[in-house]
Amino acid sequence: MWTLAISAAWLAAGPPPTETKSFLDRNCVACHRPGTPPAGIDLTSLDFDLDNAETVRRWVRVHDAVRGGSMPPGGKGVPEPARSAFLNTIREPLIAHQNAKAATHGRSVLRRLNRYEYENTVRELLGAPWLQLRDSLPEDGLVARFNKSGQALDISHVQMARYMEAAEQSLRLALDSAAAPSKVERHYARDQFRFQRRMRYDQFNGSPERANIPLIGDQTVPEIIENRDAPFSVGPADPKTRELEAMGVPASNFNGSEYYWDKYKAPVGGRYKLRISSYSIWIHTTYFQRGGFSHWRPNRKSSEKGRTVEPVTIYALRPGGERRKLGSFDVTPEPAVYEVEGDLLPGEMILPDAARLFRSRPGFVGSPDATEAGMPGVAFRWMEAEGPLPGPKVDLVDGEPERLLRNFMTRAYRRPVREAEFARYAKILRERLPQGKKEALISVYTAVLCSPGFLYLDEQPGALSPHALAARLSYFLWNSPPDAELLNVAAKGTLAQPAVLRAQTDRLLSDPRSRRFTDAFLDYWLDLRKLPDTTPDVTLYPEYYLDDLLTESAQAETQSFFHHLIERNLPARLLIDADFTMLNSHLARHYGLPKVDGVALRKTALPPDSVRGGLLTQASVLKITANGTTTSPVLRGVWILERIIGEPPPPPPPSVPGLEPDTRGATTIREQLEKHRAVVSCAACHAKIDPPGFALEGFDVLGGERTRYRSTDEGEPVAGLGKNGHAFAFKLSKPVDASGRLATGEEFSGIRDFKKLLLRDERKIARSMVTQFVTYATGAPPSFADRAEIDRLTDAAAGESYGLRSLIHRVVQSKLFTHK
């Protein structure tokens, strides 16, 4: 038996221990030899350099394969005592080496703030929660899929230049906003050029489906349409009529021909309250025939009171065309004023979108919303913007300069400022004061915001200092710096006490700022940030193409669901299957569930036989794990193993090409994979990867249920119009088979059976979540030496049904969290 007393011999690079090599020679090297060894591991040349991360990764794979019985194949021919002894020859030196390294240097390495943390920290420091900084900074590197590790968060000269630019710009924007008076501006839709442009036909707008409709109340005004010289508005001479004027829209917005309030531009950055007068209308239709197509189209000369409730989304629109969602509401046939509060940058305009209505694209043949009975539309009267609204008061330039600088540095550094640090920046301040107090302070504040004390977390090996622990806690659960209460507790030196740390953890989790944690965590754990990266194929999925409301609702469903689990400390098993989810009208229709009214998400019970419930069948996850055109059981299977089960497969051999999906419909992905799995070097991994992916084959690229694949060539034609107004061109091809057999032998016929199999081991799901939380919270994925602690934390929450909030508490109380 190996003992830790001689572990120092293992800390140096060299060949594997004799006992280790003997076991490998007897059982493994016959296959794992030079040439094309299984899994790409040549055990004849693998040294024991435990300072080499790749070498350690390979030895961990060997350990896990032997422990799990997959190596030697089937675990045959190896007596249990020999197996255990061999595992110890790997396990004990690995643990000893990693523990020694952690004791000297810490588990995690020095790291800077990532883009999320930088943006939130600058916002709070300047009292400007409306600042948009994240996208102006370079992308953060990733380790174990998270943007929290110092190993990937380096700083280049490009990054420093961006920091300097962002810091100075933020300071000037914040000071401008603080000095600007709040005011109310009203702008009528009939006065806006972008509403007018879509009212009269031109080279960009030659169809009534794309044209706005002038209204008085719910009645059209044909003379304005027919007479190009007719005024768009009666103007202020007739205020009663003026208040009834509106612009009706039969379609949602699309790039290149938007309707928006272009005569309003936010004067300064800040929080604004928007009031929008709007209602739904019903547009009469006429029958139209041309070029072999016949359909109903809007009659712009005849309308009546609305018959539907329509969701409207409000965006901030930048001059360059970028849009950012501010909020949404439902408009009814009765005219009303709707309020949305949102953050605006200087120069941004307000763009409304009648989001459910079709979105015409060039070459369209009609609106899927139009019938003989008519078609829905939305009318806009006016928009009022009030702001900038009063925000948190932060003294940046009012007061004695050196006192202001010291206060600023204390808050920026999230700890007491050392005198040598203060002296360095006070010297810069004094040198710049002849330029004027404001400019001098902006210069020195910019320097502070580019300094290591601000950009880096102050953590030293061993137990974290009270202020470092406070920062780690707040950047874990808020993605932003500690607030005054947390800093006061740190200053008292009591934060590390278990009861105090638990109380502060609960306080932070119960604060609205915890959404910064859950949303950012999901952005990387589940890759929610990649939702906009793929667009449903215009031919194969025309009903999803351009449906921003569906994508936004899918993202919000997952965010709200996960936040609810933590808020209520619900069991980790609900990540796999739950009897509820968060729905609005659009998602309920997409899922084929009973009707839900309104655009707002709410917790909704699912029918007992529903396939929904849990993350795996949410539209966001199913979209992220597809490419917009086809689905791949391999990609989805790897995703489930990595993110949910916590058993990531090894990377594929570099010599094996990936599968190219057949969109023609001649073969299914299962048929292609059967040939792929015939390759010996691929079979073992695909036996684990493919079954979870097969379980999700009953769902298409945006999570709709399906029983047959879609194709471009072979199959049964389908009639209909997509959201873009183009006729369906896809065909229904071969049947979908969502059955499979796990590597352990259990069979399933579809997603319901697969969920049940996963839930036979709830602990595995909880342990995977502990691993994710530790990685995100500490900036370091659990090492081989941390496995025992991960097991202990998981088991400690078993009596609380592995509640997600309980798992977070266990992580925060652990040495993994409270020590560097």
Side-chain angles (χ1 to χ4, degrees):
M1 176 64 68
W2 291 81
T3 65
L4 295 180
I6 58 172
S7 63
W10 301 323
L11 303 185
T18 303
E19 292 81 355
T20 308
K21 189 173 185 306
S22 297
F23 181 92
L24 297 177
D25 289 342
R26 290 194 306 270
N27 300 286
C28 306
V29 297
C31 296
H32 290 271
R33 60 175 57 191
T36 55
I41 297 180
D42 174 12
L43 293 177
T44 65
S45 61
L46 184 58
D47 63 26
F48 217 62
D49 180 4
L50 300 187
D51 283 322
N52 184 301
E54 177 59 24
T55 298
V56 170
R57 186 182 70 82
R58 287 173 178 255
W59 280 114
V60 170
R61 286 179 62 187
V62 170
H63 173 278
D64 291 350
V66 174
R67 184 187 62 176
S70 62
M71 193 178 91
K76 296 178 181 179
V78 180
E80 185 56 36
R83 182 194 308 276
S84 297
F86 168 73
L87 293 176
N88 282 339
T89 69
I90 298 177
R91 179 170 53 245
E92 293 189 7
L94 276 177
I95 292 174
H97 183 270
Q98 292 178 349
N99 283 342
K101 191 173 181 179
T104 304
H105 303 288
R107 288 184 62 256
S108 58
V109 301
L110 179 70
R111 78 168 182 90
R112 63 167 170 82
L113 303 178
N114 63 35
R115 297 193 309 162
Y116 290 67
E117 295 165 337
Y118 179 89
E119 179 180 77
N120 290 330
T121 303
V122 173
R123 285 173 170 180
E124 297 213 358
L125 187 59
L126 304 185
W130 42 269
L131 286 169
Q132 303 292 318
L133 304 176
R134 186 190 313 165
D135 293 338
S136 67
L137 301 174
E139 283 278 359
D140 296 317
L142 306 181
V143 169
R145 297 184 305 278
F146 286 111
N147 60 341
K148 288 276 192 174
S149 173
Q151 293 174 332
L153 296 176
D154 55 351
I155 287 187
S156 65
H157 68 281
V158 173
Q159 201 126 20
M160 283 306 303
R162 296 282 184 88
Y163 280 137
M164 293 181 68
E165 181 181 342
E168 181 176 353
Q169 183 182 44
S170 298
L171 285 160
R172 294 190 183 280
L173 290 174
L175 290 171
D176 288 346
S177 179
S182 181
K183 59 181 180 179
V184 178
E185 294 185 38
R186 175 178 290 194
H187 292 265
Y188 290 87
R190 291 270 282 271
D191 293 342
Q192 310 304 304
F193 171 73
R194 297 300 303 200
F195 274 98
Q196 295 173 6
R197 177 179 174 181
R198 283 183 58 168
M199 184 164 65
R200 289 175 176 154
Y201 295 136
D202 59 27
Q203 58 181 329
F204 302 105
N205 175 41
S207 304
E209 288 90 348
R210 303 181 76 167
N212 293 345
I213 304 171
L215 301 165
I216 299 291
D218 50 40
Q219 300 297 309
T220 61
V221 188
E223 56 268 27
I224 297 180
I225 299 172
E226 296 169 350
N227 181 4
R228 298 189 67 88
D229 296 324
F232 287 100
S233 173
V234 296
D238 186 356
K240 181 178 291 188
T241 304
R242 174 67 155 169
E243 291 303 305
L244 296 176
E245 290 180 346
M247 279 289 196
V249 298
S252 58
N253 247 314
F254 50 90
N255 292 336
S257 189
E258 300 100 333
Y259 47 85
Y260 55 86
W261 280 280
D262 56 328
K263 292 190 176 181
Y264 173 79
K265 295 179 175 61
V268 296
R271 187 80 172 172
Y272 287 79
K273 180 176 290 185
L274 306 175
R275 301 180 184 90
I276 296 169
S277 178
S278 183
Y279 51 97
S280 66
I281 57 173
W282 190 254
I283 305 166
H284 297 164
T285 52
T286 58
Y287 196 64
F288 178 75
Q289 291 180 297
R290 185 179 66 186
F293 291 104
S294 59
H295 57 268
W296 295 93
R297 68 189 321 182
N299 177 359
R300 299 176 66 220
K301 298 180 181 180
S302 180
S303 62
E304 62 181 72
K305 187 174 182 177
R307 301 181 185 179
T308 60
V309 174
E310 296 296 336
V312 169
T313 305
I314 304 299
Y315 297 94
L317 180 67
R318 298 183 186 180
E322 298 176 37
R323 56 165 84 177
R324 183 165 42 80
K325 183 178 177 180
L326 300 177
S328 57
F329 50 79
D330 297 302
V331 298
T332 69
E334 297 298 330
V337 175
Y338 302 90
E339 288 192 357
V340 170
E341 273 198 25
D343 299 324
L344 298 178
L345 294 176
E348 286 189 322
M349 298 168 282
I350 305 302
L351 181 147
D353 189 10
R356 190 194 64 82
L357 304 183
F358 95 114
R359 181 172 286 176
S360 64
R361 301 309 290 157
F364 73 95
V365 297
S367 167
D369 301 323
T371 66
E372 181 179 6
M375 64 184 295
V378 172
F380 298 100
R381 285 182 174 168
W382 48 260
M383 182 273 298
E384 276 185 355
E386 178 184 356
L389 301 176
K393 178 64 176 173
V394 176
D395 290 328
L396 293 174
V397 295
D398 297 330
E400 194 276 320
E402 290 200 11
R403 181 187 63 81
L404 291 171
L405 174 60
R406 185 180 292 275
N407 289 341
F408 185 84
M409 290 184 67
T410 300
R411 292 190 301 112
Y413 285 7
R414 308 171 288 275
R415 57 167 171 78
V417 177
R418 303 175 186 111
E419 284 306 312
E421 294 171 327
F422 176 72
R424 184 181 309 127
Y425 292 99
K427 182 175 181 291
I428 298 174
L429 175 62
R430 289 190 292 269
E431 290 173 350
R432 300 295 176 91
L433 277 175
Q435 301 175 4
K437 176 183 172 183
K438 179 180 176 181
E439 289 302 314
L441 285 168
I442 289 177
S443 294
V444 74
Y445 289 162
T446 300
V448 170
L449 293 179
C450 296
S451 69
F454 174 74
L455 292 175
Y456 282 84
L457 295 178
D458 185 18
E459 298 178 350
Q460 302 300 321
L464 294 175
S465 70
H467 285 90
L469 182 58
R472 176 170 281 194
L473 184 64
S474 66
Y475 281 112
F476 174 28
L477 300 180
W478 282 354
N479 258 316
S480 56
D483 63 356
E485 179 175 338
L486 191 53
L487 288 173
N488 286 338
V489 174
K492 294 176 182 176
T494 60
L495 182 57
Q497 297 176 8
V500 175
L501 188 55
R502 181 178 182 86
Q504 288 298 315
T505 300
D506 265 330
R507 183 178 71 86
L508 268 62
L509 282 173
S510 300
D511 189 282
R513 282 171 285 190
S514 65
R515 288 301 295 256
R516 299 175 184 171
F517 153 55
T518 52
D519 291 353
F521 179 78
L522 294 174
D523 270 356
Y524 287 87
W525 174 43
L526 303 183
D527 279 339
L528 277 197
R529 72 191 188 284
K530 295 182 179 179
L531 261 178
D533 290 0
T534 60
T535 300
D537 185 84
V538 62
T539 300
L540 291 173
Y541 294 98
E543 71 270 51
Y544 304 152
Y545 178 64
L546 301 175
D547 194 345
D548 293 342
L549 176 60
L550 181 56
T551 300
E552 290 167 355
S553 299
Q555 180 180 30
E557 175 193 15
T558 303
Q559 291 171 333
S560 298
F561 176 78
F562 187 70
H563 186 79
H564 181 76
L565 297 188
I566 293 177
E567 183 180 47
R568 301 298 178 87
N569 196 25
L570 296 178
R573 66 174 177 271
L574 297 185
L575 296 168
I576 304 301
D577 199 12
D579 60 2
F580 70 92
T581 191
M582 306 298 182
L583 296 178
N584 62 11
S585 57
H586 211 54
L587 273 177
R589 184 178 68 172
H590 175 59
Y591 289 157
L593 294 171
K595 182 180 178 182
V596 173
D597 294 324
V599 71
L601 288 166
R602 77 294 312 264
K603 180 181 177 181
T604 307
L606 293 168
D609 62 342
S610 176
V611 297
R612 305 296 170 175
L615 294 176
L616 299 183
T617 53
Q618 291 183 359
S620 64
V621 167
L622 294 161
K623 183 177 190 293
I624 288 164
T625 55
N627 64 12
T629 301
T630 58
T631 61
S632 166
V634 176
L635 294 179
R636 283 179 168 173
V638 168
W639 191 93
I640 291 173
L641 291 173
E642 287 182 344
R643 316 302 170 96
I644 306 299
I645 299 177
E647 297 178 354
S655 59
V656 179
L659 294 177
E660 292 295 331
D662 179 10
T663 60
R664 299 167 303 162
T667 59
T668 66
I669 187 67
R670 183 183 287 266
E671 291 167 340
Q672 296 176 71
L673 278 171
E674 285 176 356
K675 296 179 180 179
H676 189 70
R677 292 172 71 171
V679 180
V680 175
S681 61
C682 301
C685 286
H686 278 276
K688 290 184 177 181
I689 292 171
D690 296 351
F694 285 143
L696 297 184
E697 276 297 274
F699 303 94
D700 62 29
V701 299
L702 224 161
E705 284 190 80
R706 65 184 179 187
T707 57
R708 295 169 69 181
Y709 291 103
R710 295 185 181 188
S711 75
T712 55
D713 290 349
E714 299 186 13
E716 175 187 339
V718 180
L721 291 175
K723 189 175 176 69
N724 62 353
H726 286 249
F728 288 172
F730 67 87
K731 298 175 181 178
L732 292 180
S733 185
K734 295 190 174 186
V736 170
D737 181 358
S739 65
R741 178 196 295 266
L742 298 181
T744 50
E746 298 98 331
E747 295 184 350
F748 58 87
S749 61
I751 187 62
R752 293 182 182 88
D753 289 345
F754 179 69
K755 287 181 179 181
K756 292 176 182 177
L757 290 176
L758 285 184
L759 289 177
R760 288 169 60 176
D761 190 353
E762 294 181 29
R763 182 187 182 279
K764 181 180 290 187
I765 307 303
R767 190 185 189 281
S768 177
M769 285 309 304
V770 171
T771 301
Q772 305 291 348
F773 287 147
V774 167
T775 304
Y776 184 89
T778 68
S783 67
F784 188 86
D786 295 330
R787 287 183 171 185
E789 179 67 356
I790 297 297
D791 287 331
R792 186 189 70 80
L793 297 177
T794 304
D795 293 337
E800 297 164 291
S801 301
Y802 304 115
L804 291 192
R805 197 180 186 102
S806 296
L807 296 180
I808 290 173
H809 274 299
R810 301 292 176 181
V811 169
V812 170
Q813 296 282 339
S814 73
K815 189 175 180 180
L816 298 178
F817 186 87
T818 60
H819 288 61
K820 181 179 184 292

